Amino acid sequence: MNAPITLDARTEDLATRERLVVIGNGMAGCRAVEEILARDPARYAITIFGAEPRVNYNRIMLSPVLAGEKSFADIVINDEAWYADNAITLVAGDPVESIDRATQTVIARSGRVEPYDRLLIATGSDPFIIPVPGADLAGVVTFRDLDDVEKMLAAAGQGGNAVVIGGGLLGLEAAHGLSLRGMNVTVIHLMPTLMERQLDEAAGYLLKSELEARGQTILTGADTQEILGCDGHVAAVRLKDGREIAADIVVMAVGIRPATALARRAGLDVERGILVDDDMVTSDPAILAVGECVQHRGACYGLVAPLWDMCRSLADAATGTPSGYAGSVTSTKLKVSGIDLFSAGDFSGGEGTEDIVMRDAARGLYKRVVVRDNRLVGAVLYGDTADGNWYFDLLRKGEDIGPIREALIFGQAFAQGGALADPSAAVAALSDEAEVCGCNGVSKGKVVATIKAGACSLDAVRSQCKASASCGSCTGLVESLLALTLGDGVASGPRTLCKCTSFTHDDVRRLILERQLKAIPQIMQELHWSTPDGCASCRPALNYYLLCAWPGEYVDDQRSRFVNERLHANIQKDGTYSVVPRMWGGVTTPDELRAIADAADKYGARMVKVTGGQRIDLFGIHKQDLPAIWGDLNAAGMVSGHAYGKSLRTVKTCVGSEWCRFGTQDSTGLGIAIERMSWGSWMPHKFKIAVSGCPRNCAEATIKDFGVVCVDSGYELHVGGNGGIKVRATDLLCKVGTEEEALEMCAAFIQLYREQAHYLERTAPWIERVGLDHVKVALDEPEAVRALAARFRFSQLFMQDDPWAKRVAGEHADLHQHIAEVRPLQVANKEFAQ
Amino acid sequence: MIGDWLDIGPVDQIAPGTARTLAVQGGEEIAIFHTLDHTFHALVNRCPHKRGPLSQGIVHGSVVTCPLHNWQISLRSGEAQGDDKGCVPVVPLRVDAGRIYLLREAVIPHKAA
């Protein structure tokens, strides 16, 4: 605090001081002044110019003001008395328009001229307005200052629809405030994940679900095309995909840009922000700059913590004891009441980093810390952010976390609990009464007793005392107890789906249905995946399980598809693709053959080969040419043969009774009917069918997943054959009398396999695992067969769109195109061809 | 800075969890990856094992699994993970103001430079 001095003495004193003029009465400008005063209260005579007609307030608390949780008085940092007490002249509502560096004066809008010895630019940032038609309509506001908040409050008073463009920190806080004020809020976000700069996919998904549960509509991957008006006032927002969303107010919160216009006009060095050195000095030694308007070592900041760091270094230098600003590590908290969200540092993973993930679905918890070289480098917390500051502290100090690494994810209380830092010691230290499994109320003592009574595997414990048999979140604890109690005598359980989870394929499939899990990030959260976004084993498996469980509802995730299923062609060793059009039942026509021949010529197929499944394969097609060759084949009436998929491949047939002197039934006709029914269906693995017209079995039906052998009296249906590495002849499932029955049983068997087999398990190993009797029993009752077949036919309603035709029509065009091509000669001329 | 870096366009042309390719006349194709964590990486588009196109693999964490034989390649270092041995060149990449830049000298084939 300043020593009390008389006004006269101070006026006289002020005249002898250096004159410090501050442009910007915001958080950075005022904080810098506070820091200078704390070091040397008598050094400067200070004048502060502010564009807003009010005292300095805490801008980051505007969100609670909008939400009605605070008033403006609550967020004032420095009231008028502070300016008076410190003899600061505040020029509010009169922005500086120019800087004359030659005469060291600033000129305000009113014409006021103020001389300076040192000038501090703290102009902050401007909201970025996306340049779409209608952005200048009345009712389009930004979220930057109190005036913006007042505009939003006025709109909210009328009720109606609010659209917030931007699903970052600021946008979501604006959406929350408007929603609490009673408006019907839609958030439009360009990227697929909310707050993608701060959150990973898993946390972004949880946040989106929570906001939707609160009644907001969240549109991700949504690109604004135009803001539509009516009588000069905003009326709706139109997206590039054609959707229109009614709007009485539109809040643009897509980002901020450093406010550098004044500095640029004054001739200071400016890139994205005003360039400053470590002492916050600009290219003019008399001029300092601080806050969101600056660029320091290539970085611009839009958060408050770095401002405080900058202001300290600035004040140190401005009072003769430079300390040097070295940049800031940032952390983020979302100020939406009831949602706890924290992120800090670099959580992008990578070389030498290790993710430690903890999920607790029952409590809606997701925690992820990223460790590199035994140092914490990043953290994302959702649901419980109590340890956020502790992690942030570890991160900034770069301390060796080796000694507490095993317990790090459990938080400060656990990790710093001395002996408890070893998780197995922590488990050993639990009392016998301590509850291990919350779902089934099983204590540690009971689990240990169960183990001692002979349960020596996780599955045995689950079935005998129910611990970890429900949600599974205590699986780790039960495994620790097994290890503690039995030492090396633990029996390894059934194989888990992959290393990301402790659940088996069967567990996951059951829980998807029981808990109505409908998205990959949701499964990973609810089932406590130990990795942030899975791996190349579990992602395709989960994608298939969801497709199978929720036909017509689940949207296929292309990112979780193997390349062949993403590009609807077979990748070859040289990176080109092979293309196989469907040939129903192996029957073709001269026109189709001509079209195939033309396509082979046109796209330079280097080999044309007849496949084992009675089709024609064109080799050596380039990724970029795929949509074009498909278009040509489509035009001749052919569709994708799915020769690339975990799906129905072919239905191989012999000529049957129509031509063959031995044929007993129309095997070709039945094969075509089966293929028409089952093409396009995704399966756990590839699936082959054949129909032979007599027991001579020319179509080799007894080494197929489903084989029909026609006999005089009807049709023998065979299952579980395989001609691959391990040849397996089919088992006879049953015999039916009509084509209709054969088709119905085929559909039912396929659906049973689709619903019960593990991903990447062919029918042969599946049947050997579950037993032929299991399959026969499941297909014994006509009612059960009808139900299975009906589920298959329902699912097929959504599957029998030719994927080639969709690509030809432009779907996922990016998959087939280079983003650009570099041509060195033009590059040398600094040109670049798109 | 700009002179040393090639602007290859906006970040939103590559969806998270996918990769796209950059053809280089007279040089090797480059794969640019956008992870689910929203980081960007560029590698020469060939697996050190049997030259599989890495851009077509499944991206998880900061690793891509090669579509040909499931080798896992680090997007940061280009090195094969686990017991596999091999490395593919990494192309220095930076993102600035929503655009992706590659280090020019790592993109342009040497004979043309």
Side-chain angles (χ1 to χ4, degrees):
Chain A
M1 284 310 297
N2 292 323
I5 42 175
T6 67
L7 189 62
D8 284 343
R10 191 155 70 177
T11 310
E12 192 175 306
D13 171 40
L14 281 173
T16 66
R17 297 184 187 180
E18 286 180 77
R19 290 163 301 184
L20 172 65
V21 171
V22 181
I23 304 175
N25 187 35
M27 301 182 69
C30 286
R31 182 58 168 249
V33 168
E34 285 179 17
E35 294 281 355
I36 290 171
L37 290 174
R39 284 163 180 73
D40 190 351
R43 182 162 185 143
Y44 293 104
I46 300 169
T47 302
I48 301 178
F49 284 85
E52 289 182 63
R54 51 182 73 91
V55 294
N56 167 237
Y57 62 91
N58 188 343
R59 199 181 296 281
I60 62 172
M61 299 306 276
L62 283 172
S63 297
V65 172
L66 177 63
E69 291 155 359
K70 289 199 184 310
S71 70
F72 178 67
D74 293 331
I75 67 166
V76 168
I77 299 175
N78 294 307
D79 59 13
E80 286 172 16
W82 175 79
Y83 295 91
D85 287 346
N86 291 293
I88 296 166
T89 306
L90 171 64
V91 186
D94 189 8
V96 170
E97 303 238 297
S98 63
I99 301 166
D100 185 340
R101 289 163 58 195
T103 61
Q104 295 207 331
T105 53
V106 299
I107 300 102
R109 180 176 294 166
S110 65
R112 176 178 181 139
V113 177
E114 195 74 33
Y116 67 83
D117 297 307
R118 311 283 325 253
L119 179 66
L120 171 59
I121 302 176
T123 43
S125 56
D126 296 321
F128 178 57
I129 311 276
I130 51 173
V132 292
D136 53 353
L137 287 167
V140 179
V141 301
T142 56
F143 186 18
R144 182 65 192 160
D145 58 28
L146 193 64
D147 295 337
D148 294 330
V149 171
E150 279 165 0
K151 281 182 212 159
M152 280 190 254
L153 290 178
Q158 311 282 316
N161 301 306
V163 171
V164 176
I165 303 177
L169 200 61
L170 210 55
L172 294 182
E173 292 183 5
H176 172 65
L178 291 168
S179 176
L180 281 188
R181 297 281 184 177
M183 296 196 83
N184 178 24
V185 177
T186 302
V187 176
I188 296 173
H189 191 52
L190 183 62
M191 302 301 284
T193 307
L194 291 176
M195 290 179 64
E196 77 282 351
R197 282 161 61 188
Q198 289 89 18
L199 300 183
D200 56 12
E201 187 192 29
Y205 177 82
L206 289 172
L207 177 62
K208 180 167 181 268
S209 308
E210 171 65 27
L211 293 174
E212 284 168 344
R214 292 175 176 213
Q216 295 181 27
T217 304
I218 311 284
L219 305 177
T220 50
D223 200 355
T224 304
Q225 182 176 53
E226 184 177 5
I227 301 173
L228 306 171
C230 179
D231 298 333
H233 192 277
V234 59
V237 174
R238 180 186 290 149
L239 302 180
K240 285 199 175 146
D241 63 12
R243 278 182 289 181
E244 278 185 23
I245 301 126
D248 299 302
I249 182 170
V250 172
V251 181
M252 281 256 196
V254 293
I256 53 171
R257 283 186 166 172
T260 58
L262 186 64
R264 209 181 281 275
R265 284 201 302 274
L268 297 176
D269 287 350
V270 175
E271 286 179 4
R272 265 184 303 150
I274 305 167
L275 297 183
V276 292
D277 64 14
D278 291 354
D279 294 326
M280 313 311 292
V281 178
T282 67
S283 54
D284 179 338
I287 303 179
L288 310 167
V290 73
E292 292 177 347
C293 62
V294 308
Q295 180 177 334
H296 172 262
R297 296 189 191 177
C300 295
Y301 296 96
L303 296 165
V304 74
L307 304 192
W308 299 165
D309 296 339
M310 286 183 202
C311 287
R312 276 192 291 277
S313 298
L314 177 138
D316 287 341
T319 55
T321 53
S323 56
Y325 171 64
S328 297
V329 184
T330 56
S331 70
T332 308
K333 267 187 179 175
L334 181 70
K335 291 177 296 301
V336 170
S337 50
I339 297 182
D340 291 320
L341 184 53
F342 172 91
S343 83
D346 174 12
F347 46 85
S348 55
E351 196 55 26
T353 65
E354 190 189 341
D355 284 307
I356 308 173
V357 175
M358 185 176 93
R359 303 176 191 249
D360 182 340
R363 290 196 292 148
L365 214 80
Y366 171 75
K367 294 172 84 175
R368 173 175 172 212
V369 297
V370 184
V371 174
R372 186 187 298 132
D373 298 331
N374 267 345
R375 285 178 170 65
L376 186 68
V377 295
V380 184
L381 310 177
Y382 187 95
D384 176 5
T385 55
D387 284 313
N389 292 335
W390 180 65
Y391 287 124
F392 191 47
D393 200 42
L394 285 176
L395 199 153
R396 278 200 300 190
K397 289 181 180 159
E399 281 179 7
D400 182 358
I401 49 91
I404 56 170
R405 183 193 180 97
E406 295 299 314
L408 186 66
I409 194 71
F410 301 111
Q412 183 174 18
F414 199 70
Q416 294 189 334
L420 296 186
D422 172 5
S424 65
V427 174
L430 289 173
S431 71
D432 277 352
E433 291 75 44
E435 189 170 82
V436 168
C437 174
C439 298
N440 297 307
V442 187
S443 68
K444 177 190 162 190
K446 189 164 177 197
V447 174
V448 171
T450 306
I451 296 169
K452 284 183 174 162
C456 54
S457 70
L458 180 62
D459 255 26
V461 173
R462 281 180 177 169
S463 70
Q464 290 174 31
C465 73
K466 300 293 168 219
S468 133
S470 292
C471 85
S473 64
C474 60
T475 303
L477 272 176
V478 173
E479 284 172 339
S480 293
L481 287 172
L482 277 161
L484 280 169
T485 313
L486 298 176
D488 292 336
V490 183
S492 54
R495 283 189 51 213
T496 61
L497 191 151
C498 70
K499 65 184 175 5
C500 304
T501 177
S502 59
F503 285 104
T504 63
H505 283 270
D506 290 330
D507 288 335
V508 171
R509 298 205 76 166
R510 173 176 54 82
L511 290 165
I512 284 173
L513 294 172
E514 272 180 26
R515 301 214 199 142
Q516 304 259 310
L517 304 179
K518 297 191 176 176
I520 289 175
Q522 187 187 16
I523 295 175
M524 291 182 175
Q525 174 63 18
E526 292 282 325
L527 306 186
H528 315 101
W529 241 242
S530 63
T531 49
D533 48 29
C535 69
S537 295
C538 60
R539 288 195 76 98
L542 296 181
N543 188 54
Y544 167 70
Y545 291 156
L546 288 168
L547 264 179
C548 179
W550 313 113
E553 194 177 345
Y554 175 69
V555 179
D556 202 323
D557 180 19
Q558 293 294 306
R559 300 170 304 187
S560 302
R561 287 278 188 190
F562 287 123
V563 56
N564 289 354
E565 297 182 346
R566 205 179 323 123
L567 287 181
H568 296 285
N570 283 51
I571 194 164
Q572 303 298 327
K573 61 187 280 188
D574 64 351
T576 63
Y577 294 82
S578 80
V579 168
V580 182
R582 193 166 286 288
M583 229 168 240
W584 307 98
V587 176
T588 184
T589 66
D591 282 343
E592 286 185 355
L593 291 171
R594 261 189 288 273
I596 291 170
D598 287 345
D601 278 342
K602 184 170 168 187
Y603 300 100
R606 298 203 301 275
M607 181 190 260
V608 180
K609 165 120 183 38
V610 175
T611 72
Q614 300 184 334
R615 310 193 283 189
I616 292 176
D617 200 343
L618 308 176
F619 284 88
I621 309 299
H622 291 280
K623 180 177 76 171
Q624 297 87 323
D625 290 335
L626 289 172
I629 190 170
W630 295 336
D632 289 1
L633 295 170
N634 276 170
M638 287 174 278
V639 299
S640 166
H642 292 81
Y644 45 79
K646 315 299 176 208
S647 59
L648 176 83
R649 294 289 179 87
T650 71
V651 180
K652 187 173 180 176
T653 65
C654 68
V655 289
S657 57
E658 194 181 354
W659 298 91
C660 179
R661 64 203 163 100
F662 299 114
T664 61
Q665 309 282 356
D666 177 13
S667 52
T668 317
L670 177 58
I672 292 172
I674 290 177
E675 190 160 356
R676 292 270 178 201
M677 171 184 80
S678 54
W679 76 282
S681 59
W682 295 109
M683 309 261 199
H685 209 308
K686 59 185 171 187
F687 195 99
K688 299 181 179 180
I689 298 179
V691 184
S692 284
C694 77
R696 287 167 190 77
N697 194 11
C698 294
E700 297 159 344
T702 49
I703 51 163
K704 300 299 180 207
D705 294 279
F706 186 87
V708 182
V709 177
C710 302
V711 291
D712 264 342
S713 56
Y715 306 82
E716 287 176 7
L717 306 183
H718 298 258
V719 295
N722 195 334
I725 298 171
K726 191 178 164 204
V727 180
R728 183 181 193 274
T730 47
D731 296 308
L732 178 64
L733 178 67
C734 62
K735 194 180 151 195
V736 296
T738 66
E739 279 200 0
E740 287 66 38
E741 288 171 281
L743 279 162
E744 185 83 346
M745 190 58 86
C746 176
F749 175 77
I750 289 176
Q751 187 65 9
L752 187 71
Y753 168 64
R754 294 183 77 232
E755 290 179 0
Q756 296 193 354
H758 299 168
Y759 190 65
L760 297 186
E761 189 176 40
R762 288 288 297 270
T763 54
W766 170 60
I767 286 178
E768 295 201 342
R769 180 168 63 79
V770 301
L772 180 64
D773 283 347
H774 169 84
V775 176
K776 282 188 163 173
V777 167
L779 297 172
D780 192 36
E781 295 292 325
E783 198 49 49
V785 171
R786 253 196 302 278
L788 279 165
R791 287 207 291 282
F792 180 66
R793 291 200 164 96
F794 176 73
S795 166
Q796 286 295 85
L797 294 177
F798 309 100
M799 299 292 174
Q800 292 194 325
D801 279 336
D802 178 26
W804 286 0
K806 288 196 218 166
R807 294 291 168 88
V808 171
E811 185 192 68
H812 297 304
D814 58 320
L815 291 178
H816 302 280
Q817 295 162 356
H818 292 304
I819 47 180
E821 181 173 357
V822 177
R823 299 191 186 102
L825 275 179
Q826 286 170 294
V827 170
N829 293 328
K830 295 196 175 178
E831 277 182 29
F832 195 71
Q834 185 76 23
Chain B
M1 271 310 241
I2 294 300
D4 301 323
W5 295 84
L6 281 177
D7 181 346
I8 59 158
V11 293
D12 60 12
Q13 63 190 336
I14 310 175
T18 70
R20 294 188 66 189
T21 46
L22 179 72
V24 180
Q25 208 172 67
E28 287 202 276
E29 192 169 281
I30 291 167
I32 297 133
F33 296 86
H34 184 178
T35 69
L36 290 167
D37 290 331
H38 308 291
T39 58
F40 291 83
H41 305 277
L43 304 178
V44 169
N45 190 23
R46 91 179 127 72
C47 181
H49 178 214
K50 301 239 169 158
R51 308 178 66 87
L54 296 173
S55 59
Q56 302 304 316
I58 291 180
V59 179
H60 47 101
S62 61
V63 169
V64 61
T65 297
C66 177
L68 290 195
H69 306 95
N70 290 328
W71 275 36
Q72 306 217 340
I73 308 298
S74 161
L75 298 177
R76 290 258 172 123
S77 66
E79 286 194 39
Q81 305 290 289
D83 295 332
D84 296 324
K85 294 279 172 279
C87 191
V88 60
V90 174
V91 179
L93 173 153
R94 70 183 178 94
V95 172
D96 190 12
R99 297 188 74 82
I100 302 170
Y101 298 84
L102 298 183
L103 189 66
R104 176 187 293 266
E105 63 188 46
V107 174
I108 308 301
H110 291 295
K111 60 178 181 182

